[in-house]
Amino acid sequence: MGTVQKSLRIPPETLREIEQLAAEAGIDFSTAANQLLEEAVRMRRCPGIVFTSGPSGRRATLSGTGLDVSEVIAAYKGLGKNINRLDRAYHWLSEAQLRSALTYYSLYPRDINARLKRNEAWTSSSLRKRYPALTSPPR
């Protein structure tokens, strides 16, 4: 996907914050600013979604739950895309939270499907090979 150059006036404090975030992440200013803008647009379009960092990178999560949107969507698919069964499986989530996850998936299916595909590729063997300290040694 291409990019477009635009001029943007940024308050000094915001500029410093983005520079600090970029430095902490080991990325350049433009990459950090674009990531922040993209995430802000997505959160605006899908209230209840926030972005968190973890070992697998930045990901969409349901605010206040720690649940990745991809986890909810994996369950949804596994339940035959039945919203009633999903509601029972995640009985502690509100209707609005489930709607946020499903809406996010409808707007950004490529991102969620790519994460699901990466998750499905993990096997006990590949986990042991990549993260030997996190798995028990074979007996």
Side-chain angles (χ1 to χ4, degrees):
M1 172 165 56
T3 60
V4 176
Q5 184 174 342
K6 284 289 204 180
S7 176
L8 179 66
R9 295 183 186 279
I10 303 173
E13 181 59 28
T14 303
L15 175 68
R16 285 190 293 278
E17 291 286 341
I18 296 171
E19 289 172 338
Q20 181 64 38
L21 289 170
E24 290 169 0
I27 57 179
D28 63 83
F29 177 86
S30 182
T31 300
N34 278 303
Q35 182 182 64
L36 289 166
L37 286 169
E38 182 177 346
E39 290 177 3
V41 168
R42 289 177 180 214
M43 289 188 298
R44 178 74 56 98
R45 290 185 79 194
C46 299
I49 300 297
V50 295
F51 287 83
T52 56
S53 293
S56 63
R58 301 278 299 163
R59 61 203 189 282
T61 60
L62 285 171
S63 180
T65 68
L67 279 173
D68 288 6
V69 171
S70 62
E71 292 176 85
V72 175
I73 298 306
Y76 178 63
K77 288 180 171 189
L79 296 168
K81 296 185 178 181
N82 183 308
I83 189 69
N84 293 323
R85 290 177 69 195
L86 182 68
D87 187 44
R88 285 192 301 276
Y90 287 99
H91 57 88
W92 65 91
L93 296 178
S94 69
E95 179 185 337
Q97 288 172 312
L98 290 175
R99 194 175 333 111
S100 289
L102 294 170
T103 298
Y104 186 88
Y105 180 59
S106 74
L107 293 171
Y108 307 104
R110 209 172 332 157
D111 292 355
I112 299 301
N113 288 333
R115 183 166 291 279
L116 292 175
K117 188 175 182 176
R118 282 192 307 271
N119 289 348
E120 290 167 0
W122 288 107
T123 63
S124 295
S125 174
S126 65
L127 276 172
R128 252 192 316 280
K129 185 175 181 180
R130 176 132 178 151
Y131 302 105
L134 299 178
T135 59
S136 302
R139 294 178 190 237

